[in-house]
Amino acid sequence: MTEFKGDVSIVLGGAAGQGIQTVEGILTYALKKSGYHVYANKEYMSRVRGGINTTEIRVSSRRVRAFVKRIDILVPFKQGVLSWVEDRLDENTVVLGERENVEESFLGKVNLVEVPLTRMALETGSQLYLNTTAAGLIVGLFHGDFSAIEEYIRKRFGSKGENVVRKNIEAAKKGYDLGVRLCEEGTIRVEVERDESVRDEVLLTGTEAVGIGALAGGMNFLSFYPMSPSTGVSTFAAQHAEEFEIVVEQVEDEISAINMALGAWYAGARAMVSTSGGGFALMSEAISLAGMAENPVVVHLAQRPGPATGLPTRTMQGDLNLVLYAGHGDFPRIILAPGSLKEAFYLTAEAFNLADKYQVPVIILTDQYFVDTYYNLPAPDVEKVKFERHIVEAKPGYRRYELTEDGISPRAVPGYGEDVVIANGNEHDEWGDVTEDAELTIKMQEKRAIKKLETIKRNAPLPKLIGSENAEYLVIAWGSTLHVVEEALQKLGREDVALLHFSWLYPLNPETKKFFEGKTVIAVENNITGQFAELLKKEFGVEVQHKVLKYDGRPFSVEEVLETLKGVIE
Amino acid sequence: MNVQLPTGRELFEPKRPGSQDIAWCPGCGNFGIRNILISALAELELKPTEVAIISGIGQAAKMPHYINANGYHTLHGRAIPIATGVKAANPQLTVIAEGGDGDMYAEGGNHLLHAIRRNPDITVLIHDNQIYGLTKGQASPTTMPGMKTPTQPWGVFEEPFNPVALAIALDASFVARTFMGYFKESVEIIKKAIQHRGLAIVDILHPCVSFNKVNTYAWYREHTYWMEDHDPYDREAAFRRAIERDPLPLGIFYINEKPTFEDQVPAYRNDRTPLWKREPKLELVKRFFEEKKL
Ligand SMILES: Cc1ncc(C[n+]2csc(CCOP(=O)(O)OP(=O)(O)O)c2C)c(N)n1
Ligand code: SF4
């Protein structure tokens, strides 16, 4: 008998197109509804059919939000899955599935619990029911609420007719009963306590958190050119365009996407583009225009490994330098990188206020791991989203680039007020007309690159310290690695190690420096050079003693971070 | 050139200090285009605050500085997507994209093609001097074969771009060509282009007195003619006219009335309010979360 307590990690593996998403959908929904904390993340190949894709689902009695390497229950839907995840299997792993999906070389070595999923599906009427049968089976292991499965099936398959719904429910029930039986027979024992409050929480993906955050921030224009893993956000916007009455347009290339967004902002819209590194590379010219013309814009960049097309469906935090330095000449920008889904919602909404206020490009950095992650969380409080509009009326004599103390010129939009608005990507005078005057050039350069930057810095929030202020070791993380490092530190359980997480990456508030004083600094980054550590060094002269880096296109796992930190500290 | 300027032009004459120092060469055709444009805007009784002129980069693209209207002097080749964004954010504005032949046909060529497909209600004015002015005389996509330039000392051998034929081939919404030397006719064409609902493309021939010694004022007069008895709603006839080379026909080649981009985006189906006046629909965001609880 194999027993799992408190926190179970289930991995489903199969080919693209085999319908694993269906299993994942039913499972997470039903388990959450049954009062379990769930977390899921997928890993997939850059192909439409075939290959091997896996999804990890953690089911727990307390909040879980990070990727673990460990696999407790593996459900293979084809041969090759076991070899693909071989290094994640251990003697406790239960392989739940059909014998023919297990490679010859693993037979006898792994703890195989044979379940005749195909036969059960055929008994229901067709091979097509395999996925629902498998989903039912797993929910059964947890004694989850079967009614939740029914509800999900009705919602998901309702449009396909009553017969399809009925058959799927029947298939799920067969699986469910088998799951319950496996526990009763003592083949597998799963003990995870329920938490009633979970039922009322929301289940959200990173993509949705960014997308709905943008809509909450007043986004009413999105232009894009598809590129993994950013496309989800554009799809999200397109699917909500009619309801929210916004403009969403798939354009000819990324150059057009961002320029359209700049035009929209110039005319007062709240526009966003969603892209990945390769697309952003094409946008850098327009980022420079945004800098010079002080044209607000919001960019969501979901990172994947580069250079060039790199690994299209994998993850990396490798584009910080790209967004930090993109564009020629000196001008400020704001770089954000949410660590949690809640943060992704609030920060994305806030990005629009920031762009509007400071009239700079605001870049939200996520990555494949982040956008494809989902878990349950209390619904964000929509009332907390502040909508700030920083548009002024163009009174007679209006000067778009008026020189001010804080470097921020009041921004009017065409058609509001009696005067006109002249924006310009060439060096300009206060009215916006071209100038080559040396004195004025100095003033304008200083206004943008110094005064405005200083204003933003002063108002920038500080990073979040998790742990004791007096800790000897300070682990630095940014963006999507928040939960993994957090969980690793919980497991490490040492008072003398604290986490400093950055979701506002640039420009940094000068007060941030105080966090590093007298500490041994360890940076955890999902890239090969430690780009953020370099930034800290450049900004504050911070010496990062240890860099924990991962750059195989995969996210960090809790175990990995834990082991490496132990190695560094002990 | 002795032309009668209409009243109402003063509104569009800028008084900003920087607008007084015009960077065009004396005798350049751009002055004529400026006069034509201001006259067209005045005759249409538009107000400067209702007009937005979005330009790329080049001598032609300096126009927003010499006019009193909203303006955005952007990047080489990018005026069209930016103008599209402006119009989509506020359909109440009259949006004009302006640039040279290098700007619109070379660096911005791809955007032009896709703007034709997208059909935003903007007017695209191409100052076609068949040369690169601002960068001092390199060949442009419309330079005639055989012309020698500092960067094509052997003479241009590429096939020149035929913007009019191209636009008709793509079933553009409004396609015209004019020569700025014909003032009254040009004002009429530009007025019609602005009034047209949908993407209006006007190729405006104009001499570059500094760098193009072939296509002079006299050359354009001798090598162009006005189309008469041409039906702009007849696409095949329009295309036949468009591929005539010498003399070049002038006038409105083609009109194809079809829904515009702004007509079709969900943003304006029930509500014509410009985007800058709109607020986030937080009740829908709340509903989204409610649904995510299920
Ligand atoms: C990305 C980029 N490449 C090149 C240039 C240099 N450049 C400025 S204007 C121009 C061409 C101008 O020719 P045209 O568009 O025909 O306008 P004209 O000056 O003749 O009015 C070029 C190549 C630039 N500003 N930006
Ligand atoms: S370079 Fe040519 S096009 Fe430019 S202003 Fe001078 S004459 Fe006109």
Coordinates of all heavy atoms in Angstrom, one line a residue, chain B residues 23-31 59-60 129 131-134 136 206-212, ligand 2:
Chain B
A23 N 11.8 74.1 -42.4 CA 13.0 73.5 -42.8 C 13.0 73.0 -44.3 O 13.9 72.2 -44.7 CB 13.3 72.3 -41.9
W24 N 12.0 73.3 -45.1 CA 12.0 72.9 -46.5 C 12.9 73.8 -47.3 O 12.9 75.0 -47.1 CB 10.6 72.9 -47.0 CG 9.7 71.8 -46.4 CD1 10.1 70.6 -46.0 CD2 8.3 71.9 -46.1 NE1 9.1 69.8 -45.5 CE2 7.9 70.6 -45.5 CE3 7.3 72.8 -46.2 CZ2 6.6 70.3 -45.1 CZ3 6.0 72.6 -45.8 CH2 5.7 71.3 -45.3
C25 N 13.4 73.3 -48.4 CA 14.2 74.1 -49.3 C 13.3 75.1 -50.1 O 12.2 74.7 -50.4 CB 15.0 73.3 -50.3 SG 15.7 71.8 -49.7
P26 N 13.8 76.3 -50.3 CA 13.0 77.2 -51.1 C 12.6 76.6 -52.5 O 13.5 75.9 -53.1 CB 13.9 78.4 -51.3 CG 15.0 78.3 -50.3 CD 15.1 76.8 -49.9
G27 N 11.4 76.7 -52.8 CA 11.0 76.2 -54.1 C 10.5 74.7 -54.0 O 10.0 74.2 -55.0
C28 N 10.6 74.1 -52.9 CA 10.1 72.7 -52.7 C 8.6 72.5 -52.9 O 7.9 73.4 -52.4 CB 10.6 72.2 -51.4 SG 9.9 70.6 -51.0
G29 N 8.2 71.4 -53.4 CA 6.8 71.1 -53.6 C 6.1 70.9 -52.3 O 4.9 71.0 -52.3
N30 N 6.8 70.7 -51.2 CA 6.1 70.5 -49.9 C 5.3 71.8 -49.5 O 4.3 71.7 -48.9 CB 7.1 70.2 -48.8 CG 7.5 68.7 -48.8 OD1 6.6 67.9 -49.0 ND2 8.8 68.4 -48.6
F31 N 5.8 73.0 -49.9 CA 5.1 74.2 -49.6 C 3.7 74.2 -50.2 O 2.7 74.5 -49.6 CB 5.8 75.4 -50.1 CG 7.1 75.7 -49.3 CD1 8.3 75.3 -49.7 CD2 7.0 76.4 -48.0 CE1 9.5 75.6 -49.0 CE2 8.1 76.7 -47.3 CZ 9.4 76.3 -47.8
Q59 N 11.4 64.8 -45.0 CA 11.1 66.2 -45.2 C 9.6 66.3 -45.2 O 9.0 67.2 -44.5 CB 11.6 66.7 -46.5 CG 13.1 66.9 -46.5 CD 13.6 68.0 -45.6 OE1 13.7 67.8 -44.4 NE2 13.9 69.1 -46.2
A60 N 8.9 65.5 -45.9 CA 7.4 65.5 -45.9 C 6.8 65.4 -44.6 O 5.8 66.1 -44.2 CB 6.9 64.4 -46.8
N129 N 8.0 62.4 -54.1 CA 9.0 63.2 -54.9 C 10.0 62.3 -55.6 O 11.0 62.7 -56.1 CB 9.7 64.2 -54.0 CG 10.4 63.6 -52.8 OD1 10.4 62.3 -52.7 ND2 10.9 64.4 -51.9
I131 N 12.2 60.4 -54.6 CA 13.6 60.4 -54.1 C 13.6 60.5 -52.6 O 12.5 60.8 -52.0 CB 14.3 61.7 -54.7 CG1 15.9 61.6 -54.6 CG2 13.9 63.0 -54.0 CD1 16.5 60.9 -55.8
Y132 N 14.7 60.2 -51.9 CA 14.8 60.5 -50.5 C 15.3 61.9 -50.3 O 16.4 62.1 -50.7 CB 15.7 59.5 -49.8 CG 15.2 58.1 -49.6 CD1 13.9 57.7 -50.1 CD2 15.9 57.2 -48.8 CE1 13.4 56.4 -49.9 CE2 15.4 55.9 -48.6 CZ 14.2 55.5 -49.2 OH 13.7 54.3 -49.0
G133 N 14.5 62.8 -49.8 CA 15.0 64.1 -49.6 C 15.8 64.3 -48.3 O 17.0 64.6 -48.4
L134 N 15.3 64.0 -47.2 CA 16.0 64.3 -45.9 C 17.4 63.6 -45.8 O 18.3 64.2 -45.3 CB 15.1 63.8 -44.7 CG 15.6 64.2 -43.4 CD1 15.9 65.7 -43.3 CD2 14.6 63.8 -42.3
K136 N 19.2 63.1 -48.3 CA 20.0 63.7 -49.4 C 20.2 62.9 -50.6 O 21.3 62.7 -51.1 CB 21.4 64.2 -48.8 CG 21.2 65.2 -47.7 CD 22.5 66.0 -47.5 CE 22.3 67.3 -46.7 NZ 22.2 67.2 -45.3
H206 N 5.3 65.5 -56.3 CA 5.9 66.8 -56.0 C 7.4 66.8 -56.3 O 8.1 65.9 -56.0 CB 5.5 67.3 -54.6 CG 6.4 66.8 -53.5 ND1 7.5 67.6 -53.1 CD2 6.4 65.7 -52.8 CE1 8.2 66.9 -52.1 NE2 7.5 65.8 -51.9
P207 N 7.9 67.9 -56.8 CA 9.3 68.0 -57.1 C 10.1 68.2 -55.9 O 9.7 68.8 -54.9 CB 9.4 69.2 -58.0 CG 8.0 69.6 -58.3 CD 7.2 69.1 -57.2
C208 N 11.3 67.6 -55.9 CA 12.3 67.9 -54.9 C 13.4 68.7 -55.7 O 14.1 68.1 -56.5 CB 12.9 66.6 -54.4 SG 14.4 66.8 -53.4
V209 N 13.4 70.0 -55.4 CA 14.3 70.8 -56.2 C 15.8 70.6 -55.9 O 16.7 70.9 -56.7 CB 14.0 72.3 -56.1 CG1 12.6 72.6 -56.7 CG2 14.0 72.8 -54.6
S210 N 16.0 70.0 -54.8 CA 17.4 69.8 -54.4 C 18.1 68.5 -54.9 O 19.2 68.5 -55.3 CB 17.6 69.8 -52.9 OG 17.2 71.1 -52.3
F211 N 17.3 67.5 -55.0 CA 17.9 66.2 -55.3 C 17.4 65.4 -56.5 O 18.0 64.5 -56.9 CB 17.9 65.2 -54.1 CG 18.6 65.8 -52.9 CD1 17.9 66.2 -51.8 CD2 20.0 66.0 -52.9 CE1 18.5 66.8 -50.7 CE2 20.6 66.5 -51.8 CZ 19.9 66.9 -50.7
N212 N 16.2 65.8 -57.0 CA 15.7 65.1 -58.1 C 15.6 66.1 -59.3 O 14.8 66.9 -59.4 CB 14.2 64.6 -57.8 CG 13.7 63.8 -58.9 OD1 14.2 63.8 -60.1 ND2 12.6 63.0 -58.6
Ligands
SF4_2 S1 15.2 68.1 -50.0 FE1 13.8 68.1 -51.6 S2 11.8 67.4 -50.8 FE2 13.1 68.0 -49.1 S3 12.6 70.1 -48.8 FE3 14.3 70.1 -50.1 S4 13.5 70.2 -52.1 FE4 11.8 69.6 -50.7

